[in-house]
Amino acid sequence: MAAIYSVNSGASETLSLPIPGQRNILITSALPYVNNQPHLGNIIGCVLSGDVFARYCRLRGWNTIYLSGTDEYGTATEVKALVEGKSPKEICDQYHEVHREIYQMFNISFDIFGRTTTTEQTVIAQQIFLDLEHHDCFIEQETKQLYSEMSQIFLADRYIEGTCPKCSYVNAKGDQCDQCHQLLNPLELIDPICCIDGSRPILKKTKHLYLNFDKYRSRLEEWLKQSMERGQWSPCATSITKAWLERGLEPRCITRDLKWGTPVPLKKYEDKVFYVWFDAPIGYISIMAQVCREWRQWWQNPDQVELYQFMGKDNVAFHSIVFPYTLLATEANWTMVNHISATHYLQYGTQKFSKSRGIGIFGSDIASTLIPVDVWRFYLIMMRPENADTSFDWNDFQSKNNTELVNNIGNYINRVISFVTKQFDGILPEANLVTETEVIQSINTVLSTFHDNMNSLKLRDALRNCLSISSIGNKYWQLQQPWKLLKTNMEKCQTVILLCANIIKLLATMLEPFMPKTSDLILSQLQDQHILIPEQFNLLLSPGHKIGVATPLFQKITNEMIVEYEMKFGVACNNSQTD
Ligand SMILES: [Zn+2]
């Protein structure tokens, strides 16, 4: 149990298939866009959240697949390739590796971590498109778009610069002016130039296909109502979805004048590709198809498979409306999302993460901090923006590490194990726990809340439940004073020791989804192995079991360290934490 699944670890050979009569859980994390490095906010938003839940599901014994991969097609990659004088494929290969390494370092237990630029993607996306075409879901519209004759490329708004018609700022972007912050239409810019080659863009006519939401709209709404009622949808997923529906579903363009994408399999459209929002969610399916010929058993099996999708709030509408509509309109029996866990944003202090401006902490910075990955995982989950945006704060990070990890969990485990080693030669004594019903009852209350929180995807509260278990242990230890009982009441002393050791084992098991390495370390100190998470407290370590030696699990973060990190990554503090 709880094997450490490495990223893309040859899942091809062993990917399990849904088992009739069991819970079969398919978990996806929103596909990160390939050409930038993930920052802490990206990591907590979907990749780490999905990992915590996937690990929990495995610890319940549920048949679980966790998948993600890099989203590789689109303008941004094509432009980056032009600018760097590389091929789009080279850019993707390079950054796919960057992502893979960062998630591996974070101990993200993907069963599959793939990519969208594959033959499987082309085959599946084109088939879905043809089904929609067959069901009359597209309309054609002609538009005029800015085009660079020099680079022979249609230009996305942000690749055009010119003078702002509102404030005369000379470097306004095609979509927004950085000086007056007004939203712009690129056609409004005075003296527009192409950012890629400096040429003057021309207006060129082009035809595109738009997805029309009329035909299957009532079916979509009926499905949505059921899914939201029965599933675990985070409040922001529900509110964003309802707002979209209320605003009315305008036809959405699904094609682009680009080369780097999945080709549109239709006459007169051969030189166009799918727009990434149409293409990328299909990546979830094709990424599994790359490693598993039987992928339909997961993806066309709604009665036996539960689909959980983790994402940031900016991705909700694509997963709750647009992609499900696409699947419904094929009229095939797809596995549709049952649960959407969407997060708000984590900011760096009061600022947005920005690689170019050197603000915040990015995936590859983590190793240089010497703070263990589990501590990062812990803090990110503690700050998970479940109800509103949250802020990374160095002082808060230090305080939570020093109080919760070092003083609460670390201290408790260290005291108990050291005491058993010293007084009982490391061997758990004979004892009867029937006298300790009050403590066991309070443990059970927390444990059952923990399961409720996990099942309703309130990961932050579930982590707090782990801290509560440790607090219960600490208080009990302090109250009973086993070092005194040793001389006055040996029988009671033995009871306290056995119970406290069992609380450690329970804690190690509950912590595994959040802090897998720490969980391993605690179990190695107990000289024991991973087990499924129990529903109720029971004897997990028996009298006579020999435990190992205590070593410190966590280190204090000092003021000097904080000063150093702030010099390196920028100051991040926020005195008005609300969430
Ligand atoms: Zn302006």
Side-chain angles (χ1 to χ4, degrees):
M1 204 57 228
I4 302 302
Y5 297 74
S6 66
V7 171
N8 217 358
S9 62
S12 49
E13 308 303 320
T14 55
L15 198 72
S16 65
L17 296 174
I19 303 164
Q22 285 199 16
R23 275 193 83 170
N24 299 294
I25 310 242
L26 179 54
I27 303 166
T28 70
S29 156
L31 306 181
Y33 198 71
V34 74
N35 80 346
N36 40 36
Q37 215 197 101
H39 55 64
L40 292 184
N42 303 135
I43 291 167
I44 182 55
C46 42
V47 177
L48 177 57
S49 296
D51 183 58
V52 169
F53 186 65
R55 287 174 178 275
Y56 173 75
C57 292
R58 295 186 193 111
L59 284 172
R60 294 304 304 270
W62 299 331
N63 187 23
T64 304
I65 299 290
Y66 182 30
L67 76 82
S68 188
T70 38
D71 171 15
E72 305 192 346
Y73 283 133
T75 315
T77 306
E78 191 169 302
V79 169
K80 191 164 190 129
L82 269 175
V83 170
E84 293 190 12
K86 292 180 177 166
S87 71
K89 168 94 172 50
E90 284 172 321
I91 296 279
C92 292
D93 288 349
Q94 179 191 334
Y95 280 92
H96 175 79
E97 253 338 90
V98 168
H99 280 268
R100 210 180 57 81
E101 280 170 15
I102 289 171
Y103 304 139
Q104 205 155 30
M105 183 191 62
F106 261 89
N107 269 312
I108 305 298
S109 61
F110 290 128
D111 295 286
I112 317 167
F113 186 75
R115 36 202 310 193
T116 54
T117 49
T118 64
T119 316
E120 289 80 6
Q121 176 72 10
T122 305
V123 170
I124 296 171
Q126 289 187 343
Q127 186 56 54
I128 288 175
F129 169 85
L130 290 171
D131 287 348
L132 265 61
E133 167 72 8
H134 183 67
H135 296 137
D136 237 352
C137 293
F138 299 122
I139 46 177
E140 190 179 69
Q141 284 179 19
E142 189 178 83
T143 58
K144 280 183 180 171
Q145 237 179 297
L146 287 163
Y147 178 83
S148 159
E149 287 179 303
M150 191 185 282
S151 296
Q152 302 197 333
I153 184 173
F154 277 96
L155 298 163
D157 297 354
R158 72 196 123 133
Y159 296 111
I160 298 164
E161 257 182 35
T163 302
C164 173
K166 313 219 159 129
C167 74
S168 302
Y169 178 60
V170 288
N171 289 320
K173 296 269 184 215
D175 51 354
Q176 190 172 19
C177 172
D178 285 340
Q179 184 165 284
C180 69
H181 300 292
Q182 303 241 33
L183 295 181
L184 299 173
N185 174 334
L187 298 177
E188 296 175 298
L189 288 178
I190 301 158
D191 297 329
I193 58 154
C194 162
C195 299
I196 301 160
D197 54 30
S199 71
R200 194 186 172 95
I202 58 157
L203 265 181
K204 196 171 166 175
K205 277 186 195 166
T206 180
K207 277 185 184 164
H208 284 294
L209 289 176
Y210 287 69
L211 179 62
N212 180 357
F213 288 90
D214 290 344
K215 189 167 173 187
Y216 295 89
R217 177 160 175 150
S218 59
R219 213 185 279 187
L220 174 77
E221 287 181 353
E222 193 185 315
W223 166 80
L224 263 175
K225 192 164 170 279
Q226 281 195 5
S227 183
M228 286 197 231
E229 264 171 29
R230 293 180 193 167
Q232 299 295 339
W233 285 49
S234 55
C236 89
T238 310
S239 61
I240 290 168
T241 303
K242 286 183 174 163
W244 263 59
L245 282 179
E246 278 158 24
R247 234 179 289 140
L249 301 174
E250 293 293 310
R252 288 190 76 90
C253 187
I254 70 147
T255 53
R256 289 310 247 180
D257 288 294
L258 280 180
K259 293 177 194 75
W260 187 238
T262 303
V264 179
L266 198 66
K267 263 204 169 147
K268 294 188 298 174
Y269 280 84
E270 290 96 344
D271 57 343
K272 296 178 200 276
V273 300
F274 294 135
Y275 203 168
V276 280
W277 67 257
F278 178 78
D279 203 52
I282 297 171
Y284 296 128
I285 302 167
S286 75
I287 283 169
M288 184 187 282
Q290 285 154 44
V291 298
C292 176
R293 223 181 287 166
E294 305 292 319
W295 59 270
R296 283 187 181 78
Q297 287 202 35
W298 282 102
W299 282 105
Q300 294 191 335
N301 194 354
D303 295 334
Q304 284 180 16
V305 173
E306 276 179 80
L307 176 57
Y308 286 80
Q309 300 201 285
F310 288 79
M311 68 203 67
K313 61 183 168 187
D314 51 335
N315 264 318
V316 166
F318 295 104
H319 289 79
S320 66
I321 291 178
V322 182
F323 185 48
Y325 187 88
T326 310
L327 295 179
L328 280 174
T330 64
E331 297 196 11
N333 192 28
W334 292 99
T335 303
M336 311 260 291
V337 65
N338 303 95
H339 316 274
I340 292 189
S341 180
T343 47
H344 294 261
Y345 299 135
L346 174 75
Q347 296 204 321
Y348 188 71
T350 52
Q351 305 181 81
K352 284 194 170 135
F353 285 85
S354 166
K355 189 89 192 152
S356 58
R357 288 185 295 142
I359 297 169
I361 302 158
F362 287 74
S364 59
D365 297 328
I366 296 295
S368 75
T369 63
L370 303 176
I371 295 172
V373 161
D374 268 6
V375 176
W376 287 103
R377 289 178 60 115
F378 164 81
Y379 186 66
L380 288 175
I381 298 291
M382 289 296 275
M383 297 310 294
R384 185 169 189 254
E386 292 184 1
N387 307 317
D389 291 353
T390 59
S391 297
F392 180 90
D393 179 328
W394 278 111
N395 297 316
D396 184 50
F397 183 62
Q398 177 189 27
S399 143
K400 287 201 165 69
N401 176 75
N402 295 355
T403 56
E404 296 298 350
L405 297 183
V406 178
N407 293 346
N408 182 1
I409 296 180
N411 234 346
Y412 172 66
I413 294 175
N414 201 276
R415 283 162 92 184
V416 176
I417 294 183
S418 305
F419 191 80
V420 178
T421 309
K422 197 169 163 208
Q423 304 298 344
F424 294 88
D425 278 337
I427 295 169
L428 294 182
E430 283 294 335
N432 195 335
L433 301 183
V434 288
T435 50
E436 310 307 296
T437 47
E438 203 177 310
V439 186
I440 291 174
Q441 216 157 38
S442 61
I443 291 170
N444 277 333
T445 306
V446 176
L447 184 55
S448 97
T449 313
F450 169 83
H451 286 300
D452 290 346
N453 283 328
M454 276 297 201
N455 284 311
S456 51
L457 307 174
K458 291 178 185 150
L459 309 181
R460 208 173 51 166
D461 291 342
L463 177 54
R464 287 181 180 152
N465 296 142
C466 299
L467 302 176
S468 302
I469 293 285
S470 178
S471 298
I472 291 172
N474 263 321
K475 271 188 206 139
Y476 176 69
W477 181 266
Q478 287 288 73
L479 190 74
Q480 299 295 336
Q481 302 186 310
W483 55 95
K484 286 187 183 162
L485 290 173
L486 206 54
K487 293 162 202 142
T488 57
N489 185 347
M490 192 55 173
E491 197 185 336
K492 182 74 182 181
C493 180
Q494 294 185 191
T495 300
V496 173
I497 297 305
L498 187 65
L499 181 52
C500 284
N502 272 279
I503 293 174
I504 296 177
K505 175 75 190 275
L506 177 65
L507 189 57
T509 308
M510 291 168 71
L511 279 175
E512 200 277 345
F514 306 99
M515 308 178 77
K517 287 224 159 125
T518 304
S519 176
D520 287 348
L521 200 57
I522 300 170
L523 288 173
S524 85
Q525 294 185 19
L526 291 176
Q527 303 207 81
D528 203 32
Q529 291 171 351
H530 285 285
I531 50 162
L532 298 183
I533 307 184
E535 298 255 6
Q536 290 281 284
F537 179 86
N538 57 55
L539 206 61
L540 304 169
L541 290 171
S542 306
H545 176 85
K546 187 165 175 30
I547 62 172
V549 178
T551 51
L553 291 168
F554 305 106
Q555 302 293 334
K556 275 207 150 62
I557 295 177
T558 62
N559 293 338
E560 291 72 37
M561 289 164 80
I562 295 298
V563 170
E564 193 188 309
Y565 298 143
E566 286 186 335
M567 299 254 290
K568 197 164 168 188
F569 303 111
V571 174
C573 64
N574 175 25
N575 299 323
S576 57
Q577 218 103 50
T578 51
D579 189 48

